[in-house]
Amino acid sequence: MSKRDYYEVLEISKSASADEIKKAYRKMAIKFHPDKNPGDKEAEEKFKEAAEAYEVLSDDQKRARYDQFGHAGVGGNGGFGGGGFGGGMNMEDIFSQFGDIFGGHFGGGGFGGGGRQQVKGSNLRIRIKLNLEEMVNGTQKTLKVKKMKMAEGATSKTCPTCNGSGVQLKVMNTMFGQMQTQTTCGTCQGIGKVADKIPPGANAQGLVKDEEEITINIPAGARDGIQLNVRGKGNDAPFGGIPGDLLVIVEEEVDKVIKREGDNLHQELYISFAEAALGTKKEVPTVGGKVKITIEPGTQSGKILRLAGKGLPSIDSYGKGDMFIHINVWTPQKLTKEQKEFFENQMSSGEMVAEPSGKEKTFFDKVKDLFN
Ligand SMILES: [Zn+2]
């Protein structure tokens, strides 16, 4: 059975917000929950399908990969190491995920929740430039990241407004009698704590501008524009909250020699007139080292050599792209007196002339060959 699109599974648009995704999953999970559909295999499959879709779409990093590469980008057998999503979740995984969605109240009498909220620090976004080799093989980068951190000596106390519960109860008189409503505490924004001592230089939430050295592991097979999510390395949250995430956006550093086109790589190689005539051996750079290539005697300018499998690993299959070497014969622009005499002799004797056999490939033939 082919996999359905995750957005389709949750019946949401591609631009759905995190909140919409959560809500949509909640709806599906309730509808297809095994307790509500005992013995119904189809409902169970739908339940698992929704959980899998949520697992991917609720994670910024996995969602970005999924948006870019589809199921292949998040499949367990894809090129991405580290935390790949294996597909096919078991029921235990799904139920353990519920704590997050239903506040631990699933099945225990409603989806009440409320109460003290876990406040999260804001996310930080940085860009990181990687060369082809680092993108192909993966790498580790240590960077100094500017972020908000809890100031030393900053202390907190229980919020006097809500007594630490994070919520305020309001009693309203209505025509049906007294009704009690619950709202997030306006003093502490639901954290349950407020600042007690704030050291000089820190803001009202006890945070100061700081810098931290952070080591980022970049998995093999990264591509330009991919976003990695380093959990808990963003800005600190005010008292008792969890830090935000560090979002790392990968940018491809333009290589001076090697140009990328999909999984294939291209480079120009200039050889001298003598090398083209007599043939030679040349070293060319590839991802992961140099390779020796042979230039046959009588090589024409414009010839393209193909080094099979010397391109980039393919994102959605096991294959590898190729490296294409475009040969350019360099016509000398300065000649010594002897060289000038030599060429003049060749010209006047009529021995060195262009004599295409008609079998030479034109530029368009070569382009056609590349795609065959
Ligand atoms: Zn409060």
Side-chain angles (χ1 to χ4, degrees), residues 247-259:
L247 309 177
V248 182
I249 298 147
V250 170
E251 264 181 23
E252 180 180 330
E253 200 174 74
V254 177
D255 195 283
K256 282 195 196 79
V257 178
I258 300 174
K259 305 280 171 263

Side-chain angles (χ1 to χ4, degrees), residues 74-257:
V74 289
N77 54 4
F80 280 92
F85 174 67
M89 305 175 75
N90 64 38
M91 285 300 205
E92 249 165 59
D93 294 337
I94 299 174
F95 290 124
S96 71
Q97 202 184 54
F98 277 167
D100 176 32
I101 301 290
F102 301 109
H105 291 286
F106 194 86
F111 308 108
R116 192 145 52 83
Q117 290 173 17
Q118 185 75 293
V119 171
K120 210 180 157 193
S122 52
N123 291 342
L124 277 174
R125 213 174 272 269
I126 58 165
R127 292 178 178 274
I128 194 166
K129 277 208 170 178
L130 300 180
N131 63 35
L132 278 172
E133 186 143 359
E134 292 169 327
M135 290 171 74
V136 170
N137 299 328
T139 183
Q140 199 178 59
K141 294 267 173 183
T142 301
L143 300 172
K144 275 192 177 153
V145 178
K146 286 195 169 72
K147 58 189 270 187
M148 299 302 286
K149 289 188 98 172
M150 186 53 66
E152 203 144 326
T155 56
S156 63
K157 60 183 178 194
T158 302
C159 173
T161 309
C162 64
N163 283 319
S165 70
V167 293
Q168 279 174 295
L169 296 174
K170 281 188 186 135
V171 178
M172 291 189 301
N173 291 308
T174 72
M175 55 193 286
F176 306 109
Q178 279 196 338
M179 282 183 72
Q180 201 173 325
T181 60
Q182 189 171 298
T183 57
T184 301
C185 173
T187 308
C188 64
Q189 270 74 42
I191 307 171
K193 289 177 186 168
V194 291
D196 184 20
K197 284 195 192 102
I198 299 284
N203 68 16
Q205 297 179 312
L207 301 173
V208 282
K209 277 189 191 149
D210 203 346
E211 209 175 49
E212 188 183 329
E213 253 189 19
I214 296 171
T215 299
I216 300 158
N217 287 307
I218 291 130
R223 285 291 157 97
D224 190 58
I226 242 175
Q227 185 177 290
L228 305 166
N229 194 349
V230 188
R231 267 186 210 290
K233 291 296 181 186
N235 289 319
D236 275 356
F239 314 104
I242 51 170
D245 298 335
L246 176 65
L247 309 177
V248 182
I249 298 147
V250 170
E251 264 181 23
E252 180 180 330
E253 200 174 74
V254 177
D255 195 283
K256 282 195 196 79
V257 178

Side-chain angles (χ1 to χ4, degrees), residues 1-19:
M1 198 181 81
S2 69
K3 268 185 164 209
R4 283 210 296 156
D5 179 76
Y6 287 150
Y7 292 97
E8 206 180 293
V9 169
L10 294 182
E11 295 173 8
I12 49 174
S13 77
K14 295 239 189 262
S15 58
S17 67
D19 206 44

Side-chain angles (χ1 to χ4, degrees), residues 269-274 276 301 328-334:
L269 177 67
Y270 288 87
I271 58 173
S272 74
F273 181 74
S301 195
N328 299 278
V329 176
W330 186 257
T331 307
Q333 293 177 314
K334 271 184 207 151

